[in-house]
Amino acid sequence: MTHEKMILAIVTTKGETVAGGAPIFICQTKEEMEQIAANLEAILDGIAHELSEGLLIIVKH
Amino acid sequence: MNEYTFPILYGVAAGVLTRLYLLRTDYRQYPTYLHGRTIHIALGAIAAGLGTVAVPAIMEKEFAAITFLALAASQFRDVRNMERNTLNELDQYELVPRGKTYIEGIAIVFEGRNYLVIFVSFLSTLAYLVWNVWAAVLASIIGLMAARRFMSGSRLKDIADVQYVKPHFEGAGLYVDNIYIMNIGLPARREEILRYGMGFILTPKNFNARTTIANLGQRQAILHDVSTALGIYRDSGTPALVPLAKRDLNDGRVGVFILPQVEDVEKAKAVIENVPVLESAIRMPAKRRWKRRGGGGDDA
């Protein structure tokens, strides 16, 4: 199955605000969140988008 | 040797020279290298031959020979397919792809040039046989000029003004002027983008140009040309560093965001201004000939 666009992962410091099918990475600090998002971006060939303060999603375009 | 030998030789030579003249290559064009060129020169020679022998064939009342021209047409259509396939294959490995519209444009040009060669050869040989060699030279020159005129399309600077604007961020959103480009989540990426990124605003000069530069293929051609000419700051697996062109829906301006390796604003601007306007992207909504019963008009 191929998807044109999909959320590959969610990286957040506010675990209580997210839920759903994509893998969720809950982090303690902003730095940790950015570190994980940068790694995921490189691993998954996706782009990290910021939805709100403390909530990043990795999207495949 | 007979009376047709020299006219035919002359016609073929004129045709091949035309093809060579039209086969100017530069940094962004295909083919840039020897073997690619050889193919096109060889096809040019064939086209020249076909155009040339049509004249003696008519004069000898061998009208069946003219049907060879139909064969030629199908051959050169194959040339177009060949170019299209080659470029499509290559495009998959480009960091910034050309895009299908650009590829189609290049393929059309290659087919078209062969027909122009036929035309020049035909005219030259005809002039040689009807008058003399000097008339043939004149006919070749006129043909060459006509071919050049047909082949020179317009450039982006003819339809739009290009202006440099430094890209900036509003929160996570990347903007060129007031045109939203994309959302970048990581602060490290944002720094890279601000360090290497350049923004340009293309303001269309009229309503037709507005629709033309809105074409996705045309925009991709711009991104490809700039990235080829100035290099690109990205690698596979870094989709956040993809150059993009987005449109302002209100006034049709296009914001171009690029990440060139050579940080030279003037050069980048010159490259954008010289991007060819793709034939398949041209739209003329404001120029339409229409006819009413009992009258005609032009609303442009």
Side-chain angles (χ1 to χ4, degrees), chain B residues 4-269:
Chain B
Y4 295 127
T5 309
F6 283 112
I8 285 177
L9 283 178
Y10 180 84
V12 172
V16 173
L17 284 176
T18 311
R19 188 69 190 91
L20 281 171
Y21 174 69
L22 293 174
L23 192 77
R24 278 173 302 175
T25 44
D26 69 7
Y27 58 88
R28 64 185 159 211
Q29 268 174 329
Y30 169 89
T32 323
Y33 298 112
L34 200 57
H35 290 89
R37 278 189 207 171
T38 315
I39 295 171
H40 290 291
I41 296 167
L43 283 166
I46 295 170
L50 285 165
T52 301
V53 295
V55 182
I58 295 170
M59 290 181 166
E60 296 290 328
K61 298 197 172 64
E62 293 281 351
F63 298 119
I66 306 296
T67 52
F68 271 118
L69 288 177
L71 192 72
S74 69
Q75 280 295 329
F76 295 129
R77 225 174 16 249
D78 281 348
V79 169
R80 180 161 155 189
N81 281 332
M82 180 187 84
E83 293 305 335
R84 187 193 295 127
N85 293 340
T86 314
L87 289 170
N88 267 331
E89 292 297 318
L90 296 177
D91 214 32
Q92 294 167 16
Y93 297 101
E94 296 273 1
L95 284 175
V96 181
R98 274 196 177 84
K100 291 205 186 301
T101 318
Y102 203 171
I103 289 177
E104 197 57 40
I106 296 172
I108 291 171
V109 164
F110 276 124
E111 188 185 353
R113 287 188 178 173
N114 281 314
Y115 296 133
L116 288 173
V117 167
I118 293 183
F119 170 70
V120 173
S121 294
F122 182 88
L123 272 191
S124 307
T125 312
L126 186 70
Y128 199 131
L129 286 171
V130 174
W131 294 293
N132 55 34
V133 66
W134 300 114
V137 171
L138 190 71
S140 323
I141 292 169
I142 292 171
L144 199 67
M145 285 187 330
R148 190 180 156 190
R149 204 177 132 66
F150 277 124
M151 270 297 121
S152 55
S154 52
R155 308 256 154 205
L156 205 64
K157 64 181 162 205
D158 300 329
I159 64 163
D161 291 317
V162 182
Q163 189 196 351
Y164 172 75
V165 178
K166 196 168 166 45
H168 66 278
F169 277 98
E170 282 174 28
L174 172 64
Y175 285 83
V176 170
D177 200 14
N178 63 344
I179 299 172
Y180 176 77
I181 304 288
M182 64 173 155
N183 178 307
I184 301 288
L186 297 175
R189 283 265 179 278
R190 283 182 213 159
E191 275 167 35
E192 277 178 332
I193 283 172
L194 287 178
R195 159 104 180 67
Y196 290 94
M198 276 184 204
F200 289 91
I201 292 285
L202 313 183
T203 315
K205 289 187 177 170
N206 57 41
F207 193 76
N208 291 332
R210 191 192 274 207
T211 331
T212 304
I213 62 169
N215 183 289
L216 291 173
Q218 181 65 53
R219 288 193 239 168
Q220 190 60 38
I222 297 169
L223 299 175
H224 173 83
D225 271 8
V226 181
S227 307
T228 316
L230 301 178
I232 168 113
Y233 182 80
R234 80 165 289 224
D235 194 8
S236 62
T238 52
L241 298 176
V242 172
L244 283 173
K246 296 270 162 139
R247 219 182 150 210
D248 185 328
L249 296 179
N250 291 324
D251 54 12
R253 289 175 312 147
V254 168
V256 176
F257 165 71
I258 50 172
L259 285 145
Q261 213 130 43
V262 180
E263 293 166 65
D264 187 332
V265 173
E266 285 309 310
K267 230 179 233 173
K269 193 171 167 223

